[in-house]
Amino acid sequence: PRPVHRLDRKTSGCVLVAKSKNAMRQFSHLFASRQVRKSYCCITFGVPPFDKNNSTTIGGEEYSIIDYPIDGKDAVTLWRVVQTVTTKKYGKLSLLHCLPKTGRNHQIRRHLSYCLKTSIVGDNKYDGGGDMAKKTRELGMFLCSNRIEFVHAIDKSNVSVEIPIPHKFSALLEVNRIDLVI
């Protein structure tokens, strides 16, 4: 068994693993042709600015679009705020749902930092180095690949693999649980 794709070192969540060379080739083709849909959730500092003039609707929810190249290549991320809370310890935090349409290195992290001027809690590379950011680095990064969807190569059925949002997310937001409806 070999992983078909990778997550950043500090990102948690779903990774697709191929059990054979043939499966690896088929999944690699699906990723290269952007036929695998990935879903991430993350917690950011503050409330990112939502651009209604550059948005789309998916499943009845409105997503803002970030279309900003990374390393000279096209990079597109759709995102929406799921929940915003004011915590006693860390101030205002937002839970975001992100749908990367391309798969660039650190894409979600860089798009949020560079384009929205917000960072993911615990992201020591793109957090801007402020006092609050430094205080949360020890908590780990709050970015999770929570769903992967693709069409099965043999029977052509839709496959969706989803995991619950990690408990540390609800603990940081000081809520009992998070229900992310996608």
Side-chain angles (χ1 to χ4, degrees), residues 54-125:
N54 191 19
S55 65
T56 188
T57 302
I58 299 174
E61 299 288 345
E62 194 170 9
Y63 287 79
S64 188
I65 302 169
I66 300 171
D67 186 350
Y68 184 80
I70 293 177
D71 299 331
K73 297 179 181 177
D74 290 342
V76 178
T77 303
L78 308 181
W79 68 275
R80 72 180 175 94
V81 174
V82 175
Q83 182 178 12
T84 298
V85 299
T86 302
T87 65
K88 294 174 187 169
K89 193 169 184 179
Y90 302 109
K92 195 167 278 194
L93 300 172
S94 294
L95 173 68
L96 271 56
H97 180 225
C98 299
L99 303 170
K101 296 301 178 185
T102 50
R104 306 294 175 228
N105 191 37
H106 300 176
Q107 178 175 318
I108 294 171
R109 297 164 63 190
R110 291 163 86 177
H111 271 170
L112 295 178
S113 179
Y114 299 164
C115 301
L116 301 182
K117 307 298 186 225
T118 190
S119 61
I120 296 171
V121 173
D123 184 352
N124 63 351
K125 186 167 181 92

Side-chain angles (χ1 to χ4, degrees), residues 6-168:
R6 63 174 186 77
L7 297 176
D8 295 340
R9 181 176 298 169
K10 295 180 181 179
T11 301
S12 60
C14 297
V15 174
L16 195 57
V17 176
K19 292 175 69 174
S20 69
K21 287 182 181 180
N22 185 41
M24 177 64 104
R25 277 192 297 276
Q26 291 176 356
F27 282 126
S28 294
H29 170 72
L30 289 177
F31 272 93
S33 59
R34 296 186 182 151
Q35 295 179 57
V36 176
R37 292 174 304 283
K38 299 169 284 183
S39 169
Y40 291 78
C41 56
C42 64
I43 297 178
T44 64
F45 293 104
V47 183
F50 192 88
D51 185 358
K52 285 191 176 267
N53 295 322
N54 191 19
S55 65
T56 188
T57 302
I58 299 174
E61 299 288 345
E62 194 170 9
Y63 287 79
S64 188
I65 302 169
I66 300 171
D67 186 350
Y68 184 80
I70 293 177
D71 299 331
K73 297 179 181 177
D74 290 342
V76 178
T77 303
L78 308 181
W79 68 275
R80 72 180 175 94
V81 174
V82 175
Q83 182 178 12
T84 298
V85 299
T86 302
T87 65
K88 294 174 187 169
K89 193 169 184 179
Y90 302 109
K92 195 167 278 194
L93 300 172
S94 294
L95 173 68
L96 271 56
H97 180 225
C98 299
L99 303 170
K101 296 301 178 185
T102 50
R104 306 294 175 228
N105 191 37
H106 300 176
Q107 178 175 318
I108 294 171
R109 297 164 63 190
R110 291 163 86 177
H111 271 170
L112 295 178
S113 179
Y114 299 164
C115 301
L116 301 182
K117 307 298 186 225
T118 190
S119 61
I120 296 171
V121 173
D123 184 352
N124 63 351
K125 186 167 181 92
Y126 302 102
D127 67 8
D131 290 340
M132 190 59 68
K134 288 178 182 175
K135 288 179 187 176
T136 61
R137 288 178 180 173
E138 66 193 32
L139 302 174
M141 189 161 59
F142 283 77
L143 175 62
C144 177
S145 169
N146 65 308
R147 181 187 283 181
I148 297 176
E149 298 175 310
F150 57 92
V151 174
H152 194 280
I154 296 171
D155 68 14
K156 305 301 181 201
S157 63
N158 290 323
V159 178
S160 179
V161 178
E162 184 172 4
I163 63 168
I165 296 173
H167 174 72
K168 75 176 193 173

